[in-house]
Amino acid sequence: MKTSSALALSAAMIIAACSAGTTSNAAPADTAKLDASGDQPATPLAEAPFAVQEIASFNEPWAMTFLPGGRQALVTEKSGKLKFWQESGPALDVAGVPAVAYGGQGGFGDVILAPDFATSGTIYLSWVEAGDGGTFGAVVGKAKFVSGGAPRLDGLQIIWKQDPKVTGRGHFSHRLAFSPDGKYLFIGSGERQKFDPAQDMKANLGKILRLNPDGSVPADNPFASQGGVTAQIWSLGHRNILGLAFDGTGKLWNQEMGPKGGDEVNLVEVKANYGYPIVSNGDHYDGKDIPDHPTRPEFAAPKLWWNPSVSPGGLAWYNGDVYPGWKNSLLMGALSGEGLIRMAIDGDTLHKSDRWDFGQRIREVEVREDGTVWLLTDGSDGKLLKLTPKG
Ligand SMILES: [Ca+2]
Ligand SMILES: [Ca+2]
């Protein structure tokens, strides 16, 4: 027994040494060149400053948020369940959740805590509801989360809807984030795979929206005087926003799944137009060309982009000390890219700092209060993963 495990160990060391050897020429990466291009080669997990620990399983998990203290979390499952995960106990179904229109890319979406969660227990949720004539649209609601052995939602109230509802079940986006001052709710609203709504000021599709916590429109929104859903608009020309994150200086970043070869991370600025579907560094999946960003400098260009596509899932700001050199970074999951991407924040710019090959579709990225990073993998046997720092 002793001999065979020693052999297995030395074989593992040889494999690790070989995989390190094959990538050593590429590292350290020429980040300036990578940052300006669509490229970003992946590094084997063996070289990461963390080990991957499997914690729990979920059915098509989509989003999660830790509760204060980090020993409990809420996890949405796309088909319509909200799970109350506990570090030392079973994951329980939360009662009182809305009925969701499950299918395609739709179902349960995001879950975040209200800024005053500690006193109010309020959470915000997004999901898809059906409309007339085979149409669908995302909605956002708030409710009080009541913890304990029979967790439930009380007083669920819808505060926002995608308008108009359209056919198809793609590009809902429905990602949520509160500004660090707790005053404003930002919603990523996808263009519903219909292209032009991203430039249509009469639709709240293909936009990032800014609302008061009760769903009303702040008086100082850039298009507030125009009324209707136009008043909700903060930025436009987005495609499928699957991650929103504020950094420590209050800057809002978004990632979005672009067309083929056009996935983006943007610095979200008020009134900016990010150009979709008029410009993209990618092209339509049917092969039709979309002029690249540099041809139309009036549209805000991405800070980073990826070709081939990585299909982003989740976005989180990291400012901990658990993993060396990660302070002030953005972390982004990759679905088709099957990994985790780290981008160092450098003022108003980003660098392609790391990309690890997990061999699994990463849907969600969360940072716990203790500085550890947790991920959700995609699919019917989705896993909650903890990235345990290596000694
Ligand atoms: Ca989250
Ligand atoms: Ca293009």
Side-chain angles (χ1 to χ4, degrees), residues 124 172 174 263 307 348:
Y124 286 76
F172 296 101
H174 56 16
D263 295 340
N307 181 16
D348 285 356

Side-chain angles (χ1 to χ4, degrees), residues 258-283:
K260 189 178 183 185
D263 295 340
E264 300 184 347
V265 172
N266 295 303
L267 175 58
V268 181
E269 297 189 276
V270 60
K271 253 180 142 170
N273 185 339
Y274 292 82
Y276 192 75
I278 300 165
V279 289
S280 168
N281 288 348
D283 295 308

Side-chain angles (χ1 to χ4, degrees), residues 63-65 110-112 175 364-366:
M64 71 177 283
T65 188
D110 212 352
V111 56
I112 62 169
R175 275 289 187 178
E364 172 73 316
V365 185
E366 277 295 309

Side-chain angles (χ1 to χ4, degrees), residues 232-312:
Q232 303 170 355
I233 297 171
W234 185 255
S235 63
L236 60 146
H238 299 282
R239 187 174 181 269
N240 190 15
I241 301 142
L242 294 169
L244 286 174
F246 281 91
D247 71 18
T249 65
K251 290 194 294 281
L252 176 60
W253 303 90
N254 93 283
Q255 52 86 328
E256 60 192 79
M257 209 179 277
K260 189 178 183 185
D263 295 340
E264 300 184 347
V265 172
N266 295 303
L267 175 58
V268 181
E269 297 189 276
V270 60
K271 253 180 142 170
N273 185 339
Y274 292 82
Y276 192 75
I278 300 165
V279 289
S280 168
N281 288 348
D283 295 308
H284 288 298
Y285 273 95
D286 67 7
K288 233 171 33 195
D289 179 67
I290 308 175
D292 289 350
H293 266 280
T295 64
R296 296 288 295 273
E298 69 270 35
F299 296 116
K303 296 298 182 180
L304 295 175
W305 58 285
W306 286 265
N307 181 16
S309 298
V310 295
S311 310

